[in-house]
Amino acid sequence: MAICKVCGKELTLPVGDSKSVLGIVMEYPFPPDKPEVGRYKRESVTAREILRRELIRVGIDVNLCRLTSVWMHTPSTSDRDFSCNLGEAIRAVKQCHVVLLLGSLPTETFLGMDVSEVGGLRVTSDLLPLPIYATKSPADLFHGTLGEFRLALKQLSKSREIKKYYGK
């Protein structure tokens, strides 16, 4: 069990190989015991399952990705706590070849822009010198916006880094 150096809360550690081709940075960890369930394509699923299914649609196996979060524990109001969590998230994906930001918080933090301004575009960040793509959080798909999400993943799947690894 890992503990936050700043506040002492238990951390949800990154999942997947640190040298994965694709690093995925979410807002918060997927809850292990009480997943958020919503309606998606007329069925009840979790945000984690939506991400898995939509990545499969573009030929990417989420099990071969590195997943982490900007917040690795329950969010707090401490700037120092946020900086520590962000530092851990950056370390978690810095060896990947390309990064996908999921949601507003990671996109605003890494790029200083709203996710709707950069969804599906290949961009860079001063915080992380890697190709970056951004899209809405899978949890947002419970309320629509599936087209934007799919477009961003399709653009990601066409990147040099993904094509080289997956042989597309």
Side-chain angles (χ1 to χ4, degrees):
M1 176 170 76
I3 302 296
C4 179
K5 299 172 203 166
V6 176
C7 69
K9 292 180 182 176
E10 184 177 348
L11 296 175
T12 300
L13 297 176
V15 176
D17 186 346
S18 64
K19 295 179 182 169
S20 296
V21 171
L22 178 58
I24 300 174
V25 181
M26 302 172 284
E27 297 182 58
Y28 314 103
F30 286 126
D33 50 353
K34 292 190 270 183
E36 179 182 352
V37 176
R39 303 294 293 170
Y40 167 76
K41 295 176 127 182
R42 297 184 291 281
E43 61 181 304
S44 293
V45 296
T46 63
R48 178 192 313 238
E49 179 62 14
I50 291 172
L51 177 62
R52 186 189 73 74
R53 289 181 187 183
E54 293 300 322
L55 285 172
I56 286 172
R57 284 185 85 255
V58 296
I60 297 172
D61 183 349
V62 73
N63 296 314
L64 300 177
C65 300
R66 177 77 159 166
L67 280 79
T68 192
S69 305
V70 173
W71 278 109
M72 294 183 163
H73 59 60
T74 308
S76 75
T77 56
S78 164
D79 288 342
R80 189 167 162 251
D81 200 15
F82 180 75
S83 293
C84 181
N85 277 250
L86 177 60
E88 291 298 322
I90 291 169
R91 279 188 283 289
V93 297
K94 71 180 181 184
Q95 293 183 57
C96 296
H97 299 268
V98 62
V99 171
L100 174 63
L101 304 176
L102 293 178
S104 299
L105 181 62
T107 304
E108 290 169 6
T109 302
F110 280 84
L111 305 175
M113 301 174 83
D114 188 271
V115 68
S116 63
E117 295 177 56
V118 294
L121 301 176
R122 182 184 178 106
V123 294
T124 57
S125 168
D126 292 338
L127 294 177
L128 196 60
L130 295 171
I132 296 175
Y133 290 82
T135 190
K136 299 195 181 258
S137 167
D140 291 338
L141 301 184
F142 295 142
H143 315 289
T145 68
L146 180 59
E148 289 178 49
F149 188 80
R150 284 185 172 170
L151 177 63
L153 294 185
K154 185 173 183 178
Q155 292 303 107
L156 168 69
S157 73
K158 293 178 180 179
S159 72
R160 296 188 285 280
E161 297 79 13
I162 298 296
K163 282 183 173 181
K164 181 177 178 183
Y165 182 77
Y166 285 96
K168 294 181 180 189

